[in-house]
């Protein structure tokens, strides 16, 4: 995918190779005493590009974690951050572990030890390398990492900025948990603001009423499905999970499915839908938008020919293999690429990092001042209406909505929405503006690589 984009770019000799390679990968094997014996774990932290620091990217807990995967995901972080103008280089970490096999206190010991190994090599550091959640990790793990770092750096006033995705009571920010799903929603809204783009996918109209199949009801898939169905009128006609899939043409109740999975560990047995045991086959069902939101490589040469969705939204990292991408492109399927589609997470991570460094909640200084100024306008309107005898009345609800100053969550959403819209437009300009660019992925890579190249140039490389 990188190669396809650089072939269309005019980079200075040798720069292409410099950008492509992963700068460094650290492998660590450490022991933790659990259940009366020492268990050895293997973890990685890979830094793809330090053209901007800190470098940024999640830490994944999964048995399948390996060096190649971590490096590829680190590279994706570089391009993702460049595309959405988040001032970070790209990094990624992983630990080979099945977190479900361990008790909470065991996971804490393992996480703290891993964090210790990374922090002592500056692979966790507010100025150099800032991890975040990824598959298999969440707020809980980030809070342990932040605390571990703070214990090792007792005088670092910016210690909290060493990791993002922390719970709000431990230095996190409102809206981070759902940020990637929210970003998916904002990205789709922006796509549907451009009728020409929608037509390229063979679709028409608005998001309202579109049939959506979501693969993976984890943090990203759940929030995307929830927001799209509750706020944009989409019908979630399919949910694919590890133990099968649910199908319903009238639309699934996302909250009910989520609650069912939490209670029963999977989707099978859920009453208000058709259960499909061969879950992956639902990826091939007819729908308007397919949202792979879980693993890599789920759309591959084995099923690409049979995918019927005209629009694929890559909420996961790398859900479409490059072979499948080729097949789908030839068939005219529009793919909104991962480096854009799931960038909402790292965008809100950036806001969290800035909040930690500024040591103040967004909106704390302005909120009441904003309310007071709005109150002036409302008072004046009411006075005019009374004094002139025109008898205007404000529409119901207007006053409450207008008078309320923005809190942190609203500011986070506004910043995320702006980021997703601006990034889409920069991608779109290349997509429509160049005859040699046929798809959004190449457009996204051209924008991202161009920006990385510019910062290398500015550094004198
Ligand atoms: N793991 C997420 C991603 O793949 C978030 C990274 C971050 O917030 O730094 O984009």
């Amino acid at each position: 995918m990188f190669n396809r984009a650089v072939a269309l770019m005019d980079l200075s000799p040798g720069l292409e190779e410099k950008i492509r390679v992963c700068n460094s990968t650290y492998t660590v094997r450490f022991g933790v005493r659990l259940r009366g014996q020492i268990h050895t774990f293997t973890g990685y932290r890979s830094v793809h590009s330090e053209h901007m620091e800190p470098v940024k990217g999640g830490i994944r807990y999964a048995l399948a974690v390996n060096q190649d995967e971590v490096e590829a995901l680190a590279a994706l972080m570089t391009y993702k951050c460049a595309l959405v103008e988040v001032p970070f280089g790209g990094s990624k970490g992983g630990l080979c572990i099945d977190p479900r096999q361990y008790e909470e206190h065991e996971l804490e010991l393992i996480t703290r030890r891993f964090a210790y190994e990374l922090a002592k090599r500056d692979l966790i550091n507010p100025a150099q390398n800032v991890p975040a959640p990824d598959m298999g990790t969440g707020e809980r793990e980030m809070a342990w990492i932040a605390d571990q770092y703070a214990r090792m750096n007792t005088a670092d006033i910016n210690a909290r900025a060493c990791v993002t995705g922390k719970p709000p009571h431990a230095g996190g920010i409102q809206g981070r948990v759902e940020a990637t799903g929210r970003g998916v929603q904002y990205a789709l809204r922006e796509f549907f603001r451009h009728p020409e783009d929608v037509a390229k996918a063979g679709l028409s109209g608005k998001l309202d009423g579109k049939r959506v199949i979501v693969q993976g009801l984890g943090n990203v898939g759940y929030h995307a499905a929830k927001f799209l169905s509750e706020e944009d009128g989409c019908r979630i006609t399919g949910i694919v999970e590890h133990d099968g899939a649910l199908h319903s043409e009238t639309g699934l109740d996302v909250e009910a499915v989520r609650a069912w999975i939490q209670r029963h560990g999977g989707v099978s047995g859920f009453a208000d839908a058709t259960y499909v045991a061969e879950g992956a086959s639902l990826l091939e069902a007819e729908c308007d938008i397919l949202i792979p939101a879980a693993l890599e490589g789920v759309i591959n040469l084995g099923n690409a020919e049979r995918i019927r969705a005209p629009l694929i939204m890559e909420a996961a990292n790398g859900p479409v293999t490059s072979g499948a991408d080729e097949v789908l492109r030839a068939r005219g399927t529009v793919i909104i690429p991962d480096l854009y589609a799931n960038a909402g997470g790292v965008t809100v991570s950036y806001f969290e990092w800035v909040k930690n460094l500024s040591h103040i909640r967004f909106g704390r200084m302005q909120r009441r001042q904003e309310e007071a100024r709005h109150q002036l306008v409302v008072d004046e309107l009411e006075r005019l209406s009374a004094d002139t005898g025109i008898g205007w009345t404000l529409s119901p609800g207007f006053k409450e909505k207008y008078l309320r100053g923005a809190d942190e969550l609203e500011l986070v959403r506004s910043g995320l929405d702006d980021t997703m819209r601006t990034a889409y437009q920069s991608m779109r300009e290349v997509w429509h503006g160049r005859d040699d660019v046929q798809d959004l992925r190449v457009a996204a890579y051209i924008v991202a690589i161009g920006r990385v190249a510019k910062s290398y140039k500015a550094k004198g490389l």
Side-chain angles (χ1 to χ4, degrees):
M1 289 163 177
F2 175 89
N3 290 348
R4 221 155 46 80
V6 283
L8 305 175
M9 298 177 75
D10 190 22
L11 294 180
S12 55
L15 186 55
E16 170 187 331
E17 170 75 358
K18 173 64 205 79
I19 295 177
R20 179 193 291 111
V21 297
C22 215
N23 288 3
S24 63
T25 302
Y26 172 64
T27 307
V28 60
R29 296 182 187 86
F30 60 88
V32 182
R33 182 178 290 279
L34 304 167
R35 307 174 198 176
Q37 95 176 59
I38 294 177
H39 293 247
T40 303
F41 297 91
T42 305
Y44 305 91
R45 185 81 183 160
S46 177
V47 174
H48 172 259
S49 177
E50 292 147 289
H51 68 290
M52 283 194 189
E53 283 185 310
V55 293
K56 192 89 188 73
I59 292 183
R60 173 173 290 202
Y61 281 6
L63 276 179
V65 161
N66 62 73
Q67 182 168 344
D68 271 355
E69 182 192 67
V70 174
E71 290 190 355
L73 291 168
L76 196 54
M77 286 310 302
T78 297
Y79 307 125
K80 196 184 295 189
C81 292
L83 182 66
V84 293
E85 295 182 286
V86 157
F88 297 138
S91 182
K92 198 83 177 195
L95 188 64
C96 303
I97 186 180
D98 176 0
R100 284 166 304 192
Q101 304 302 314
Y102 297 89
E103 307 267 332
E104 185 167 33
H105 72 276
E106 295 174 327
L107 276 174
E108 179 174 353
L109 285 176
I110 299 164
T111 302
R112 284 185 181 276
R113 182 59 200 267
F114 187 31
Y116 169 81
E117 296 294 336
L118 297 181
K120 76 174 179 188
R121 292 169 182 88
D122 289 332
L123 292 166
I124 297 178
N125 181 301
Q128 292 185 46
N129 198 324
V130 183
D134 199 78
M135 265 165 56
T137 59
E139 286 188 333
R140 183 182 65 175
E141 287 73 15
M142 300 308 116
W144 291 331
I145 293 173
D147 185 65
Q148 185 63 33
Y149 181 88
R151 287 186 192 189
M152 295 165 70
N153 297 274
T154 48
D156 184 350
I157 195 171
N158 294 319
R160 279 187 155 174
C162 77
V163 67
T164 60
K166 302 177 292 293
H169 62 265
I173 194 166
Q174 299 298 327
R176 175 62 184 87
V177 173
E178 66 266 33
T180 314
R182 208 31 105 190
V184 167
Q185 176 193 32
Y186 290 163
L188 278 171
R189 282 185 182 172
E190 180 58 20
F191 179 83
F192 277 88
R193 278 191 197 104
H194 303 279
E196 289 164 80
D197 301 7
V198 177
K200 278 195 186 238
L203 293 167
S204 60
K206 301 258 167 271
L207 253 181
D208 188 42
K210 294 287 179 287
R211 296 162 304 161
V212 178
I213 295 180
V214 180
Q215 191 237 1
L217 213 61
N219 182 42
V220 178
Y222 160 68
H223 284 107
K226 174 181 164 69
F227 299 146
L228 288 169
S229 59
E230 288 177 3
E231 298 171 17
D232 296 283
C234 290
R235 244 186 306 149
I236 310 299
T237 53
I239 289 176
V240 184
E241 262 290 328
H242 61 93
D243 67 325
L246 299 175
H247 188 219
S248 161
E249 272 308 308
T250 51
L252 293 154
D253 177 343
V254 177
E255 286 300 340
V257 177
R258 168 87 160 185
W260 183 268
I261 296 173
Q262 267 163 358
R263 251 180 296 134
H264 302 94
V267 290
S268 89
F270 183 79
D272 301 323
T274 312
Y275 173 72
V276 184
E278 185 45 59
S281 68
L282 203 66
L283 294 172
E284 301 159 19
E286 210 174 298
C287 66
D288 299 311
I289 309 169
L290 176 61
I291 309 185
L295 298 168
E296 286 121 63
V298 291
I299 299 172
N300 47 51
L301 283 177
N303 61 3
E305 288 286 0
R306 297 191 300 276
I307 301 287
R308 275 183 280 175
L311 178 62
I312 298 178
M313 180 75 189
E314 293 187 334
N317 285 318
V320 177
T321 65
S322 83
D325 191 61
E326 195 92 44
V327 172
L328 292 164
R329 218 171 336 113
R331 289 192 11 211
T333 308
V334 171
I335 302 180
I336 303 184
D338 48 7
L339 65 159
Y340 170 67
N342 67 38
V346 74
T347 301
V348 177
S349 274
Y350 168 48
F351 302 155
E352 179 177 336
W353 180 76
V354 171
K355 174 188 179 181
N356 293 152
L357 293 180
S358 59
H359 300 266
I360 188 165
R361 178 179 80 231
F362 287 110
R364 183 162 174 180
M365 304 296 277
Q366 306 91 329
R367 184 174 175 189
R368 304 299 170 190
Q369 194 257 1
E370 195 187 328
E371 287 181 359
R373 291 172 67 91
H374 286 181
Q375 185 71 54
L376 276 179
V377 176
V378 168
D379 289 349
E380 191 61 7
L381 279 175
E382 284 177 340
R383 188 192 62 77
L384 278 173
S385 161
D387 287 4
T388 56
I390 295 178
W392 285 339
T393 46
L394 300 172
S395 12
F398 169 82
K399 227 160 127 175
E400 293 69 41
K401 273 198 222 148
Y402 184 65
L403 285 182
R404 204 165 45 87
D407 60 10
E408 184 172 81
L409 183 59
E410 275 175 85
L411 292 169
V412 162
R413 287 185 185 161
S414 151
L416 177 58
D417 193 13
D418 183 59
T419 303
M420 297 310 290
R421 291 195 202 196
T422 311
Y424 185 79
Q425 279 151 24
S426 61
M427 237 172 20
R428 183 172 192 271
E429 255 169 48
V430 176
W431 189 27
H432 291 280
R434 286 179 59 154
D435 294 336
D436 53 355
V437 174
Q438 260 87 51
D439 60 318
L440 276 167
R441 193 188 312 276
V442 160
Y445 272 96
I446 288 178
V447 173
I449 296 167
R451 289 185 183 153
V452 175
K454 257 197 200 136
S455 29
Y456 272 122
K457 209 176 267 165
K459 283 183 147 191
L461 196 77

